[in-house]
Amino acid sequence: MKVLTYHNIDTPPKEAKLKTLYLKPKKFQRQLWLLQRLGFSSSSAEKFNLSEKEVLLTFDDGYKDFIENALPVVKKYRFRATVFIVADLVGKYNKWDWRKLNVKKYLMDWKDIEYIMKEGIEIGSHTLTHPFLTQLDPKEAIKEIEYSKKKLEDRLGVEIKSFCYPYGDYNEQIRDVVESVGYKNAFTTKEGPFETEDDPFQIRRLTVFGNMDIFRFGWKVVF
Ligand SMILES: [Zn+2]
């Protein structure tokens, strides 16, 4: 199975740094079209299927542009998707990196999240505040991992089974905390496919950058 990582599905604003985190909606649509043509179907983060022809679409951070620019395309091609939410910043903006990126990117509010859930999108946790987990005091790190799960569950009324490490930053202790507080799997930023023998708490993904053309995208997904 291949897990794809997306951030913003939108045209980057002029002042934004690191514009490759934005993928234009047209390009996103072409990618899902290609996946469908190549015979891929999509899995759920909570219960995935490890076949070679399986993709899992993941969206980090819970940006508001998901609703308008990603959801209709995901639905059109009958794919599934998982969005990782920063639980204390719901309805706010990317407080963790807006200075570095020179842009405030708005995050979905609770109503938005309830709406996309109704449309079949799965929700996972991306901590409370998007810190570098290995740099925190262990107590604080546990809070970020455990309380974000609780907060999302209390607010949304579903079990939150998937976790995503902010910045892909984790170590063995962090990984073990994620498992011990009740998540079923966790996603990293390490590049590669996910295979049967791999640790479900260190799932590798393929990051889709905005400057990737459709051939590179296809190559990455197939090989
Ligand atoms: Zn993130």
Side-chain angles (χ1 to χ4, degrees):
M1 181 184 67
K2 305 276 172 46
V3 185
L4 301 176
T5 309
Y6 293 97
H7 291 88
N8 292 92
I9 306 297
D10 209 349
T11 305
K14 265 210 178 96
E15 69 278 14
K17 290 180 183 155
L18 248 162
K19 290 195 169 64
T20 53
L21 292 176
Y22 289 81
L23 179 71
K24 289 194 178 140
K26 262 242 159 94
K27 275 190 149 179
F28 179 61
Q29 163 142 9
R30 230 173 287 149
Q31 291 178 355
L32 295 204
W33 171 84
L34 180 68
L35 289 174
Q36 193 187 53
R37 286 299 299 261
L38 292 171
F40 280 91
S41 56
S42 83
S43 247
S44 140
E46 296 182 356
K47 231 182 113 191
F48 41 74
N49 173 334
L50 289 169
S51 104
E52 295 234 325
K53 278 288 168 102
E54 204 68 19
V55 284
L56 181 56
L57 309 176
T58 62
F59 294 81
D60 287 10
D61 309 329
Y63 296 110
K64 206 136 183 149
D65 57 41
F66 178 84
I67 301 172
E68 214 178 304
N69 298 333
L71 181 63
V73 186
V74 170
K75 283 181 66 185
K76 180 178 174 191
Y77 291 97
R78 303 216 172 99
F79 281 110
R80 309 199 50 160
T82 301
V83 177
F84 294 110
I85 300 291
V86 184
D88 274 356
L89 298 179
V90 170
K92 301 188 173 115
Y93 61 93
N94 58 326
K95 287 191 179 173
W96 64 92
D97 68 356
W98 74 274
R99 282 196 181 86
K100 191 179 147 221
L101 300 183
N102 199 33
V103 62
K104 284 187 180 173
K105 302 192 277 192
Y106 290 92
L107 301 168
M108 286 187 264
D109 60 28
W110 293 111
K111 266 205 176 135
D112 297 329
I113 298 169
E114 280 164 8
Y115 168 71
I116 65 168
M117 284 173 70
K118 246 192 254 150
E119 298 289 314
I121 303 300
E122 283 178 12
I123 302 301
S125 165
H126 201 30
T127 70
L128 292 171
T129 63
H130 207 288
F132 283 93
L133 287 169
T134 66
Q135 292 173 18
L136 292 181
D137 178 85
K139 264 195 195 145
E140 286 302 307
I142 294 170
K143 246 197 216 166
E144 288 275 348
I145 297 164
E146 189 174 17
Y147 291 7
S148 58
K149 184 177 196 296
K150 287 217 175 86
K151 186 166 187 172
L152 293 171
E153 289 177 344
D154 290 347
R155 213 33 233 245
L156 301 171
V158 292
E159 188 187 345
I160 300 294
K161 296 178 179 163
S162 302
F163 183 80
C164 176
Y165 304 102
Y167 312 101
D169 178 49
Y170 74 100
N171 56 27
E172 226 178 282
Q173 285 86 342
I174 298 288
R175 179 234 167 265
D176 291 348
V177 171
V178 174
E179 184 171 17
S180 70
V181 304
Y183 290 100
K184 304 288 183 273
N185 54 39
F187 295 80
T188 71
T189 51
K190 288 193 178 132
E191 290 274 317
F194 182 71
E195 278 145 9
T196 327
E197 65 274 17
D198 294 341
D199 178 7
F201 290 89
Q202 301 184 63
I203 297 177
R204 283 190 297 263
R205 299 188 287 176
L206 306 171
T207 305
V208 183
F209 292 107
N211 57 354
M212 209 182 258
D213 65 39
I214 193 74
F215 301 105
R216 265 214 63 189
F217 173 82
W219 180 270
K220 234 181 157 174
V221 175
V222 172
F223 299 105

